[in-house]
Amino acid sequence: MNFIKISKESGIATVTMSRGKVNAINEAFVDELGAVFNELAVDADTKAVILTGDGKFFSFGFDIPELLNYSKNDFARYLKKFCAMYTQMFLFPKPVIGAINGHATAGGCILALTCDFRIMVTGKAKIALNELNIGAAIFAGCVGMLKSAVGERNAEKVLLTGAMYTAEDALRIGLVDSVTAEETLMAEAKKIAEGFSQKNSDAFKTLKNLLRRPAADCFGRSEEDSILDFIEIWYSEPTQKVLKGVVINM
């Protein structure tokens, strides 16, 4: 693994995203994160998972400068992988705690939405689905997960304004479930994970599936169309002009 680190202790696996300073998502990152969650799903010793990031970012989202070099066919392949990965994480059969250690924007926020419980650091960190601000669209699955978390009206506010939310503001609308200081984040996340890990695993898996499978089936039917729309908008002249100005300090 080049971009994902795993540690295990007392039945809890901590998955740490570690790609440069901002944990930008590229195709290799998607492949690794998906493989890790596939492995943990069948690992009998893993009772709960904590997902977090290295440094000051949970994840910036897509590695835009790298993806700008993709052809439309290559970009379509990448997007299908990304959407399949977050759907897999959304339906992951065990508890997942998102320990949001810093900024979680765009694709980074999408990864956070897959978690069963999100705890975020207070301070300067922001969370957002801010694709509209760079002229980009979003996927049906992201809309479905967001609605499940914050409700339809708040989902409209999040997506149609592209607003950047502090931890406290995110807590008020249900985008995160708890907030804490940076120095207590992992201890709090582990405490929450331990609580989940003590529940009957089969019962948890069944209940989570009952809660999330209908949403996943619903947005799955629209996912392919939303990917095609995303591609057309991404390659449009106005959006390309904005995207080419994005710089990521890796």
Side-chain angles (χ1 to χ4, degrees), residues 103-155:
H103 302 298
T105 54
C109 182
I110 293 168
L111 295 182
L113 284 170
T114 67
C115 300
D116 299 296
F117 192 99
R118 292 174 291 280
I119 179 170
M120 183 174 175
V121 294
T122 56
K124 296 181 179 180
K126 300 289 180 64
I127 184 169
L129 286 169
N130 57 328
E131 282 83 354
L132 185 61
N133 295 342
I134 60 170
I138 202 165
F139 312 105
C142 307
V143 175
M145 293 191 298
L146 182 63
K147 285 182 178 180
S148 294
V150 305
E152 187 155 349
R153 182 58 183 144
N154 280 329

Side-chain angles (χ1 to χ4, degrees), residues 72 75 131 134-138 226-240 243:
K72 277 192 177 182
F75 191 55
E131 282 83 354
I134 60 170
I138 202 165
S226 71
I227 290 172
L228 293 175
D229 288 339
F230 190 99
I231 293 169
E232 289 307 307
I233 294 168
W234 181 273
Y235 283 96
S236 68
E237 185 176 343
T239 299
Q240 283 285 299
L243 294 176

Side-chain angles (χ1 to χ4, degrees), residues 24-69:
I25 302 167
N26 68 354
E27 191 163 1
F29 181 105
V30 168
D31 289 341
E32 286 190 18
L33 190 58
V36 164
F37 272 85
N38 275 333
E39 292 170 9
L40 294 176
V42 296
D43 178 17
D45 294 329
T46 298
K47 306 301 181 185
V49 177
I50 296 172
L51 177 65
T52 193
D54 263 343
K56 298 295 183 182
F57 276 77
F58 182 76
S59 173
F60 170 85
F62 286 2
D63 187 338
I64 293 171
E66 179 175 324
L67 293 172
L68 283 175
N69 295 317

